[in-house]
Amino acid sequence: MENFFAFADLLRSLKTTKRRGWVLRGVHDPESVADHMYRMAMLALTVDTTKCNVSREHCAKMALVHDLAESIVGDIAPCDNVPKEEKQRREMDAMKHIQELLPAEAGAEVLALFEEYESGQSPAACLVKDLDKFDMILQAYEYEKADKRPGGLQEFFDSTEGKFKTELVQGWVAELRTKRTEWIERQTTCTSPQ
């Protein structure tokens, strides 16, 4: 039972670990890592399997696992200047520790999902990586609206430009960009001097 409670405590830490990118940008009440993973998993469950040759359930599990290592290593941001290889090593060490806390079958599945996501080679991993980036820019748009900062989080959109690989999520991104552009134009019009 001790391992069960240790694992549960790691999950608790994901609920309280604020996503670092938002914290660094001064976002009021930023989402937690768990918030991000949950929305990604729910988005995965909405995928039209006739358009994407993936299992919704498999993608949802991968979304729930992809940032699990952050319960130990924290949310390492690009500005932390941690080399990619070092970040990968830390995260893999964390995932192996987490695997040891779980029953053998569950631990093996969690580690395999993480490794599949990290490799980015399978159709499911490509989709979940797209969901990861999409959730980030959707969240950026939502923060811009909530904080009344039209275009204030543009760097998040710029960082994903041309990086979406799946046709489904590319469509979502195009629609989001249209909605955001229209909203920014309305805000600019409303605040311009007459």
Side-chain angles (χ1 to χ4, degrees):
M1 274 318 273
E2 197 60 36
N3 284 349
F4 170 82
F5 286 105
F7 179 67
D9 190 53
L10 290 175
L11 298 179
R12 177 212 45 83
S13 74
L14 292 173
K15 291 168 46 174
T16 58
T17 300
K18 301 298 183 184
R19 297 223 6 184
R20 192 152 156 70
W22 306 131
V23 172
L24 293 170
R25 298 325 176 281
V27 168
H28 173 72
D29 193 24
E31 69 177 338
S32 71
V33 174
D35 294 330
H36 164 64
M37 293 164 61
Y38 175 76
R39 179 155 65 177
M40 281 180 61
M42 292 305 295
L43 291 174
L45 290 177
T46 72
V47 169
D48 182 348
T49 56
T50 63
K51 293 184 179 179
C52 297
N53 188 23
V54 297
S55 159
R56 286 190 296 259
E57 293 79 10
H58 184 74
C59 291
K61 287 179 183 180
M62 191 180 297
L64 290 171
V65 166
H66 86 286
D67 279 343
L68 189 54
E70 293 181 13
S71 64
I72 295 173
V73 301
D75 186 8
I76 300 170
C79 66
D80 294 325
N81 296 317
V82 175
K84 183 179 178 181
E85 297 77 20
E86 175 61 15
K87 181 178 184 285
Q88 289 172 333
R89 185 196 64 73
R90 289 181 193 179
E91 289 179 346
M92 183 54 73
D93 288 349
M95 290 304 295
K96 287 179 179 175
H97 172 72
I98 291 167
Q99 178 187 20
E100 292 171 6
L101 297 176
L102 299 171
E105 185 178 342
E109 182 180 18
V110 164
L111 185 60
L113 286 163
F114 177 78
E115 290 174 333
E116 181 182 355
Y117 175 82
E118 285 297 307
S119 75
Q121 300 302 307
S122 70
C126 286
L127 177 62
V128 175
K129 283 185 172 283
D130 274 4
L131 293 176
D132 187 26
K133 292 185 288 286
F134 177 75
D135 180 62
M136 180 183 72
I137 62 172
L138 177 58
Q139 190 66 60
Y141 170 59
E142 292 165 346
Y143 285 144
E144 286 177 337
K145 289 188 343 182
D147 293 346
K148 296 177 179 47
R149 296 167 59 177
L153 296 171
Q154 181 63 41
E155 67 188 283
F156 292 93
F157 289 85
D158 293 344
S159 72
T160 62
E161 186 68 42
K163 294 189 178 175
F164 293 93
K165 296 180 179 177
T166 60
E167 190 176 323
L168 175 70
V169 181
Q170 287 171 350
W172 294 354
V173 170
E175 181 64 27
L176 175 60
R177 287 181 185 275
T178 299
K179 287 172 64 74
R180 180 175 178 256
T181 299
E182 291 170 354
W183 176 76
I184 289 172
E185 287 172 358
R186 284 194 306 274
Q187 298 309 302
T188 306
T189 304
C190 291
T191 58
S192 332
Q194 299 295 324

